[in-house]
Amino acid sequence: MSFAALAGFVVGALAILFYRNQIEAPSRSSAADDGVETGAALPQGVASVLAVLPSSAVVLDAHDRVLRASSAARAFGLVKGDRLMAAELLALARQVRRDGEIRESEIDVAGHKFGQETTNFAVRVAPLGSYGQVLVLAEDQTERRRVEAVRRDFVANVSHELKTPVGALSLLAETIQDAADDPEAVTRFSGRMQHEAARLNYLVQDLITLSRIQGAEAIPTPGQVSIDEAVNDALDHCNTKAAAKDIALVTGGTEGLRIWGDDELLVTALRNLIDNAVAYSPEHTRVVVSVRPAGDSVEISVSDQGIGIPEESLERIFERFFRVDAARSRATGGTGLGLAIVKHVAAAHAGEVSVWSKEGSGSTFTLRLPAFGGTAVAVPPAIPLETAQ
Ligand code: ADP
């Protein structure tokens, strides 16, 4: 139920309670009966309704004194003693008392403790009976707004990322048209068109993967996953790119470990890590994929001898579309979504991913995932691990 609908329902329910109790004569409610702090007389039942509300609730008397305030209202600093602290809210309450109209608004309340941020509230203010009492309901929507802003940013980023290859494709198509009688140029430009189309395809695929693993049911049918098989599958995908740069892909560590989860997602995550290790390493180096038991988890690390990541970027690299060097990422066919996918795959398995890196020396990404059956025990591998190259 939306806040507006919930607030509407509560206001209606309280109005009924109020009128019923006016006939039955208002009673004094105690603090002990509902866990809500109290000050003075309230109609019977109103206090109980307020006590179960998730949002901040305040009842003011005819003289703007707080008759009742939920603990949330006090915690947020909306109420101090018997006073409503937000001037904007008080003005709204007075207007409502004057003309009896229900009002809705949004207000920002500065943090009342040092270092506390401003809180944004959706508020609904309604008259409560004929004694000049006013009900104020306020819902903290700071988090909802933050999520909305992140989503807006993401949509803007996706549009921007899509524009580049689509723009290039349209330009290349025009160029080919103009060069129709130059077969060499046609071959060259159609090759570039294929390259841009492939980029578009990677981006769309990564977006689909990301939205799938961010869904409510990231792993609809979990099962036993053999780490050896997942590592070998991921290495198979990366072999060609590694061979082109004479990069040796090496595996090591404990064989036969298993996790509970989704093999396709694990392969996707490992492939992204190995792909990056190859993309951000110079020629003739090594990428090592190593597996080891770690208590109730399995650790899979991918280490390279590549360019490394500057310290100030380390905490941002798992963000969607964050790149240390945008030009380099594009040149290697990166979508900027690889590590965001890895992070979500880890989270979907109740695990985590961490990174160690030193500029100029290399990077190690470590996936730590809960082991199958609660302890990391090795079973004889179905397919032996081997050096992939
Ligand atoms: P991209 O598609 O750009 O590689 P990712 O999400 O996979 O996007 O990675 C984000 C950024 O993190 C990359 O653009 C790159 O700057 C940095 N990065 C990731 N892996 C490595 C690595 N192994 N070595 C150096 N930099 C890396």
Side-chain angles (χ1 to χ4, degrees):
M1 207 189 292
S2 71
F3 175 65
L6 178 69
F9 170 76
V10 169
V11 167
L14 287 176
I16 292 168
L17 279 169
F18 187 88
Y19 286 113
R20 211 190 63 204
N21 283 302
Q22 263 191 328
I23 297 165
E24 290 168 0
S27 72
R28 192 166 274 270
S29 52
S30 74
D33 63 0
D34 48 29
V36 177
E37 292 166 52
T38 184
L42 260 193
Q44 242 176 22
V46 170
S48 317
V49 174
L50 293 183
V52 295
L53 282 181
S55 35
S56 301
V58 180
V59 178
L60 295 177
D61 70 6
H63 311 288
D64 291 338
R65 271 199 327 252
V66 172
L67 272 185
R68 184 158 279 258
S70 65
S71 28
R74 291 190 187 276
F76 278 122
L78 287 173
V79 170
K80 226 182 211 166
D82 66 350
R83 310 235 56 91
L84 191 60
M85 296 312 285
E88 225 179 316
L89 212 48
L90 196 57
L92 214 58
R94 285 176 181 157
Q95 279 176 356
V96 168
R97 187 182 295 119
R98 220 174 298 131
D99 61 17
E101 297 264 321
I102 295 176
R103 283 187 171 76
E104 279 180 19
S105 183
E106 270 192 27
I107 62 159
D108 287 322
V109 176
H112 65 302
K113 285 189 195 133
F114 181 73
Q116 209 174 35
E117 284 176 10
T118 300
T119 312
N120 178 267
F121 290 98
V123 295
R124 195 169 161 97
V125 185
L128 204 60
S130 48
Y131 295 136
Q133 293 184 355
V134 174
L135 169 70
V136 176
L137 294 175
E139 191 185 36
D140 173 13
Q141 52 176 11
T142 318
E143 179 58 16
R144 189 170 61 78
R145 285 193 137 201
R146 194 192 61 78
V147 170
E148 261 170 30
V150 169
R151 190 174 304 149
R152 260 199 315 273
D153 272 5
F154 181 61
V155 171
N157 277 332
V158 169
S159 319
H160 176 77
E161 297 286 336
L162 287 171
K163 255 191 201 160
T164 318
V166 169
L169 278 173
S170 136
L171 264 177
L172 285 164
E174 262 177 47
T175 316
I176 286 179
Q177 226 169 20
D178 294 344
D181 42 10
D182 178 354
E184 210 178 284
V186 169
T187 311
R188 195 169 67 247
F189 290 126
S190 60
R192 283 183 52 193
M193 274 186 94
Q194 274 170 3
H195 176 78
E196 293 299 334
R199 231 176 89 178
L200 204 54
N201 189 28
Y202 294 143
L203 183 59
V204 172
Q205 269 174 8
D206 275 0
L207 285 170
I208 291 171
T209 308
L210 201 56
S211 83
R212 193 187 134 203
I213 49 172
Q214 283 182 297
E217 253 207 331
I219 306 180
T221 49
Q224 262 188 67
V225 180
S226 150
I227 303 292
D228 303 345
E229 284 176 33
V231 169
N232 279 331
D233 274 6
L235 287 171
D236 279 350
H237 279 104
C238 306
N239 256 332
T240 319
K241 276 188 194 160
K245 289 174 82 173
D246 187 29
I247 290 176
L249 298 180
V250 183
T251 56
T254 312
E255 296 178 7
L257 295 176
R258 294 166 302 160
I259 59 154
W260 181 248
D262 184 300
D263 50 356
E264 250 181 68
L265 285 182
L266 182 61
V267 172
T268 304
L270 291 172
R271 217 177 74 197
N272 281 326
L273 291 179
I274 302 167
D275 252 344
N276 279 347
V278 171
Y280 300 106
S281 289
E283 293 183 344
H284 321 299
T285 51
R286 274 156 62 97
V287 169
V288 180
V289 183
S290 165
V291 183
R292 70 176 195 102
D296 54 2
S297 301
V298 174
E299 272 185 12
I300 314 167
S301 59
V302 178
S303 303
D304 63 56
Q305 302 168 313
I307 58 172
I309 300 159
E311 205 181 330
E312 65 274 13
S313 301
L314 276 177
E315 63 181 38
R316 296 203 57 197
I317 51 170
F318 294 98
E319 287 174 21
R320 296 174 294 198
F321 297 120
F322 178 82
R323 293 145 165 138
V324 175
D325 176 347
R328 181 166 186 143
S329 157
R330 289 216 173 83
T332 56
T335 60
L337 293 175
L339 289 180
I341 290 175
V342 174
K343 188 181 84 177
H344 282 100
V345 170
H349 285 86
E352 57 188 22
V353 57
S354 57
V355 57
W356 171 92
S357 188
K358 192 159 185 259
E359 261 186 298
S361 300
S363 312
T364 297
F365 285 83
T366 306
L367 266 176
R368 195 183 159 99
L369 307 170
F372 173 70
T375 1
V377 200
V379 294
I383 303 170
L385 278 178
E386 59 196 26
T387 302
Q389 205 190 324

